[in-house]
């Protein structure tokens, strides 16, 4: 087992705090500058992830009582209403919480973490591919 020094712990904590700040700032900036309709009362939005070209935004919301993925498209400088990614959120009857989305270079793959298999390894990393405009069933990249 790796021994963690106090210096390592401080560094890791600082990195986490910076990531939280950037995520919070990004959502606030989208709300005010782009006018995106993110008011999911009583829910909250987390973990924004932009595609490389800036035309797509994936994020997590807990408005359903679980952390689920939503996506919005930017066309003609206007963001679309966010829509739930049903193919991912409905996987394994929608029992898992999903967090930390991230697009690949051309936004054809969406990576994220989820606890779909609560009876085994808890949280794992998954991905879904967009084929002909639809997202595929999530696949685990773990063992």
């Amino acid at each position: 087992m790796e021994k963690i020094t106090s210096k390592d712990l401080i560094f890791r904590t600082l990195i986490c705090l910076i990531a939280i700040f950037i995520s919070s700032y990004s959502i606030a900036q989208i709300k005010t500058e782009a006018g995106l309709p993110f008011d999911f009362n009583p829910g909250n939005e987390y973990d924004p992830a932009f595609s490389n070209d800036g035309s797509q935004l994936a994020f997590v919301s807990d408005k359903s009582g679980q952390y689920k993925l939503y996506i919005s498209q930017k066309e003609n400088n206007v963001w679309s209403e966010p829509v739930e990614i049903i193919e991912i959120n409905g996987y394994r009857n929608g029992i898992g919480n999903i967090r930390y989305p991230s697009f690949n270079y051309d936004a054809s793959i969406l990576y994220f973490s989820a606890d779909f298999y609560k009876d085994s390894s808890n949280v794992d990393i998954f991905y879904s591919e967009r084929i002909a405009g639809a997202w595929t069933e999530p696949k685990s990249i773990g063992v």
Side-chain angles (χ1 to χ4, degrees):
M1 177 182 269
E2 174 187 9
K3 182 177 179 181
I4 298 174
T5 66
S6 60
K7 185 178 177 182
D8 289 336
L9 186 58
I10 291 170
F11 178 74
R12 290 177 184 183
T13 303
L14 181 61
I15 293 298
C16 288
L17 290 173
I18 290 170
I20 290 168
F21 171 77
I22 289 170
S23 294
S24 300
Y25 175 76
S26 296
I27 287 291
Q29 185 180 25
I30 292 164
K31 283 182 180 178
T32 57
E33 292 179 12
L36 188 59
F38 266 73
D39 189 10
F40 279 168
N41 275 334
N44 299 292
E45 294 80 42
Y46 304 95
D47 310 329
F50 288 95
S51 60
N52 279 341
D53 66 0
S55 68
Q56 297 176 69
L57 169 65
F59 65 95
V60 174
S61 176
D62 65 357
K63 76 174 190 163
S64 70
Q66 289 181 295
Y67 296 110
K68 300 295 180 186
L69 276 173
Y70 291 80
I71 195 163
S72 181
Q73 311 286 330
K74 188 175 186 180
E75 294 179 15
N76 299 322
N77 244 6
V78 176
W79 287 101
S80 68
E81 184 78 24
V83 294
E84 184 177 349
I85 305 176
I86 303 290
E87 299 88 349
I88 295 173
N89 295 337
Y91 181 64
R92 293 189 48 91
N93 296 319
I95 62 169
N97 289 300
I98 301 169
R99 294 295 303 265
Y100 314 114
S102 180
F103 289 104
N104 73 330
Y105 68 97
D106 67 355
S108 63
I109 300 175
L110 185 60
Y111 296 93
F112 54 92
S113 68
D115 59 355
F116 291 133
Y117 302 107
K118 293 183 182 199
D119 57 339
S120 62
S121 64
N122 292 331
V123 177
D124 202 353
I125 299 172
F126 292 83
Y127 71 95
S128 177
E129 297 178 82
R130 185 176 7 223
I131 299 173
W135 293 99
T136 61
E137 181 176 283
K139 295 178 183 115
S140 170
I141 64 170
V143 234

